[in-house]
Amino acid sequence: MVFRKPPDGGWGWVIVVVSFFTQFLCYGSPLAVGVLYLEWLDAFGEGKGKTAWVGSLANGIGLLASPVCSICVSSFGARPVAIFSGFMVAGGLMMSSFAPNIYFLYFSYGIVVGLGCGLLYTATVTITCQYFDKRRGLALGLISTGSSVGLFIYAALQRELIELYGLDGCLLIVGALSLNILACGSLMRPLESPSSPRPEKMCVDKVPDQYFVYHEKEKTIEENISILEKGYIDEKCVSNVPDCKQDIILNKNVLSSINVNEKDAYKKKVVEQTNFCKQFAKRKWQVYLTYWKETMVLFKNKVFSALFVAILLFDIGGFPPSLLMEDVARSANISEDDYYMPLISIIGIMTTVGKLILGILADFKWVNTLYLYVTTLLMTGVALFAIPFAKSYLTLAMLSGILGFLTGNWSIFPYVTTKTVGIEKLTHAYGILMFFAGLGNSLGPPIVGWFYDWTQEYNTAFYFSGFCVLLGGFLLLLAALPCWNACTNQSPKLPPNTYSYKVASN
């Protein structure tokens, strides 16, 4: 498929709006799952680590399947994938309202909803990057705020729905709201060049029409010839008995010649289809080999290799607060009367602000996006170390706001990836990085929950989380600096398939 030059506007702004609402509708409930987490603890009576798997799977399984999601978007396009995923998210939420135990929630809420969210996230990011170049940072920042606004609104909405209709009614209503994703997905028009030639049809379309006659007759060709021969002979014998014997001999000669011609055509058809199958298998094998070769080339880039370690450690340590902060406040014996706003809502609104500000900063030429991303990682680690010292609602609210703002670095992560590997490799590289992000999302909350079940307090868990995030930030910084120097001094000598990160954002 051939794409036009990104228009940086026009229908691209429609793409931004529908992508915003898509992420709002699909990620609102999974990101605000901390409200549901408390209800599931009371409903099923399982441990914190075991129950935390539901929310961690919902936010991690889609990222774990990012390579598959990337292949789906590349193969079918953003629009069909978005529409199909809308059914998955809505169906998974509605199924969760009938969950008899925690294990059913692992499948309905964790896997089905999580996989649908992963497909939608990949589709929205990919099509937005296709429509924007110069304003890509702003566009990605705008669409990524959809999930943060969803977190802010759904945290209060789900709590209100639980009070009015119970946990099951809340999930049914939220699932019905998710059906609006279908309308958003239908507007994701692909950016194709109208002057580009249409792709050639597969080789099987070039097989002559006469070969397809045998689709219904190839197993009964002898039977058809015998029937034709018998009918022709009977007709001639009734009308003209003396000439019957002569016509029988003549008819046998004609039918035998037809039989030979049809058998030759049938053999030719078999040969054609056999060659087509061989070529198709060979082509798919070449695509598979090319994928792994490109993957190995990506990991030769030091920045890319450090980036996947950093995103893994960041999600192990940085994701649990958005899921467990409400339980942290309850464990600190903070009264609900002191709540001016749910802590998850504070994280959501500040994540929105962070995504917008960081996305705008990424578009400035004097701002190095990788330095900016590393800074957010280091500050997140410090904030996580401070959580055990917060003993009041005010301090927890301040830390929630700081963590929410720094979590807005998700808006610049696609920007960093694009500048590292190039727009043509974005889908491939982003799928790999999101796999490791999903692994971190899936492991982070259960690890923190297990620490609590083991020690009966959250202090050790958040010390561990802060250490993971700081370690990832320092590794990325150490790996990036020598790479930048090499790019600056030896860029003409790099082989054509090597992808490197430049010092400036442009």
Side-chain angles (χ1 to χ4, degrees):
M1 183 178 292
V2 180
F3 294 102
R4 295 198 306 264
K5 182 180 179 182
D8 280 301
W11 191 260
W13 295 119
V14 177
I15 297 295
V16 169
V17 172
V18 298
S19 297
F20 171 89
F21 281 106
T22 297
Q23 294 201 16
F24 170 85
L25 293 167
C26 75
Y27 275 107
S29 180
L31 288 179
V33 73
V35 176
L36 305 176
Y37 173 74
L38 298 177
E39 299 296 325
W40 288 329
L41 281 174
D42 298 334
F44 300 114
E46 301 288 352
K48 295 182 185 293
K50 195 173 183 179
T51 307
W53 272 110
V54 180
S56 63
L57 283 174
N59 289 276
I61 198 70
L63 299 177
L64 282 171
S66 286
V68 178
C69 297
S70 300
I71 293 174
C72 291
V73 174
S74 299
S75 301
F76 303 106
R79 181 190 291 174
V81 169
I83 294 174
F84 175 77
S85 303
F87 283 110
M88 290 187 64
V89 173
L93 289 170
M94 293 180 181
M95 288 169 57
S96 299
S97 65
F98 304 100
N101 51 53
I102 199 71
Y103 302 103
F104 187 88
L105 284 175
Y106 289 165
F107 170 74
S108 61
Y109 198 96
I111 296 178
V112 177
V113 176
L115 187 58
C117 290
L119 288 167
L120 287 167
Y121 182 79
T122 305
T124 53
V125 168
T126 301
I127 197 169
T128 302
C129 288
Q130 291 172 359
Y131 269 87
F132 288 90
D133 183 18
K134 295 180 181 178
R135 299 178 180 176
R136 184 176 296 145
L138 174 61
L140 290 173
L142 288 172
I143 69 167
S144 61
T145 56
S147 58
S148 304
V149 175
L151 169 59
F152 172 71
I153 294 178
Y154 272 72
L157 176 64
Q158 291 185 146
R159 177 172 292 180
E160 189 68 23
L161 290 175
I162 289 173
E163 293 179 359
L164 294 175
Y165 305 104
L167 179 61
D168 297 341
C170 169
L171 290 170
L172 281 174
I173 294 173
V174 171
L177 288 175
S178 300
L179 290 173
N180 290 284
I181 295 173
L182 307 181
C184 296
S186 63
L187 295 175
M188 294 182 182
R189 187 172 66 193
L191 182 64
E192 295 183 37
S193 175
S195 59
S196 61
R198 298 184 63 181
E200 294 185 1
K201 294 184 178 181
M202 300 297 291
C203 297
V204 70
D205 294 338
K206 298 180 180 180
V207 178
D209 294 338
Q210 58 180 339
Y211 298 155
F212 291 99
V213 175
Y214 297 91
H215 180 69
E216 298 179 355
K217 300 197 307 180
E218 56 187 11
K219 293 184 180 180
T220 60
I221 185 170
E222 299 294 341
E223 181 182 355
N224 291 337
I225 291 175
S226 63
I227 293 174
L228 180 61
E229 179 180 358
K230 181 179 179 182
Y232 181 79
I233 293 172
D234 292 343
E235 182 181 357
K236 293 295 290 184
C237 290
V238 171
S239 60
N240 191 1
V241 177
D243 297 333
C244 182
K245 188 174 182 179
Q246 182 178 359
D247 288 340
I248 289 174
I249 298 173
L250 179 61
N251 182 56
K252 286 183 177 181
N253 293 333
V254 173
L255 290 177
S256 62
S257 63
I258 293 175
N259 189 11
V260 172
N261 291 335
E262 289 187 348
K263 286 184 177 180
D264 290 341
Y266 176 71
K267 291 179 179 179
K268 185 176 180 181
K269 175 203 170 185
V270 172
V271 172
E272 289 278 351
Q273 291 190 345
T274 303
N275 290 334
F276 166 73
C277 293
K278 289 181 179 179
Q279 292 176 3
F280 181 78
K282 184 178 180 180
R283 184 161 54 249
K284 288 298 181 182
W285 178 250
Q286 290 297 328
V287 170
Y288 178 79
L289 290 179
T290 302
Y291 176 85
W292 286 107
K293 287 179 181 178
E294 291 177 352
T295 302
M296 296 306 297
V297 170
L298 289 174
F299 278 100
K300 290 180 180 178
N301 189 329
K302 294 181 180 178
V303 175
F304 181 83
S305 298
L307 202 57
F308 90 85
V309 176
I311 193 65
L312 172 64
L313 295 176
F314 171 73
D315 280 276
I316 288 177
F319 176 67
S322 63
L323 176 62
L324 304 173
M325 191 61 79
E326 295 290 334
D327 194 50
V328 170
R330 188 167 70 172
S331 301
N333 297 321
I334 297 176
S335 174
E336 292 186 1
D337 297 334
D338 298 334
Y339 275 52
Y340 300 101
M341 183 184 297
L343 296 175
I344 297 179
S345 295
I346 295 175
I347 293 176
I349 194 63
M350 290 306 297
T351 303
T352 304
V353 176
K355 287 179 176 179
L356 284 173
I357 293 178
L358 294 174
I360 293 173
L361 287 175
D363 283 331
F364 288 104
K365 295 182 178 180
W366 51 271
V367 174
N368 189 294
T369 51
L370 189 55
Y371 274 137
L372 182 62
Y373 185 74
V374 170
T375 302
T376 60
L377 295 184
L378 299 178
M379 293 179 66
T380 300
V382 174
L384 289 171
F385 272 115
I387 289 180
F389 299 98
K391 300 300 180 181
S392 66
Y393 172 81
L394 181 61
T395 52
L396 282 176
M398 292 176 60
L399 288 174
S400 297
I402 294 172
L403 288 171
F405 180 86
L406 296 173
T407 306
N409 62 8
W410 274 102
S411 66
I412 63 174
F413 189 74
Y415 202 94
V416 172
T417 307
T418 303
K419 291 298 181 181
T420 303
V421 301
I423 184 63
E424 66 281 353
K425 296 293 181 181
L426 172 64
T427 304
H428 185 188
Y430 203 72
I432 295 172
L433 292 173
M434 289 302 99
F435 172 84
F436 291 102
L439 187 62
N441 271 351
S442 300
L443 295 177
I447 289 175
V448 173
W450 289 331
F451 269 115
Y452 183 90
D453 293 336
W454 178 38
T455 62
Q456 296 302 310
E457 46 88 16
Y458 277 113
N459 295 350
T460 306
F462 283 105
Y463 290 147
F464 171 79
S465 299
F467 173 77
C468 288
V469 177
L470 284 176
L471 178 62
F474 280 119
L475 288 177
L476 181 58
L477 182 62
L478 292 176
L481 290 175
C483 182
W484 286 345
N485 294 332
C487 292
T488 304
N489 299 328
Q490 301 178 2
S491 57
K493 299 181 180 180
L494 289 175
N497 291 329
T498 301
Y499 306 99
S500 57
Y501 195 94
K502 297 182 180 179
V503 178
S505 60
N506 286 332

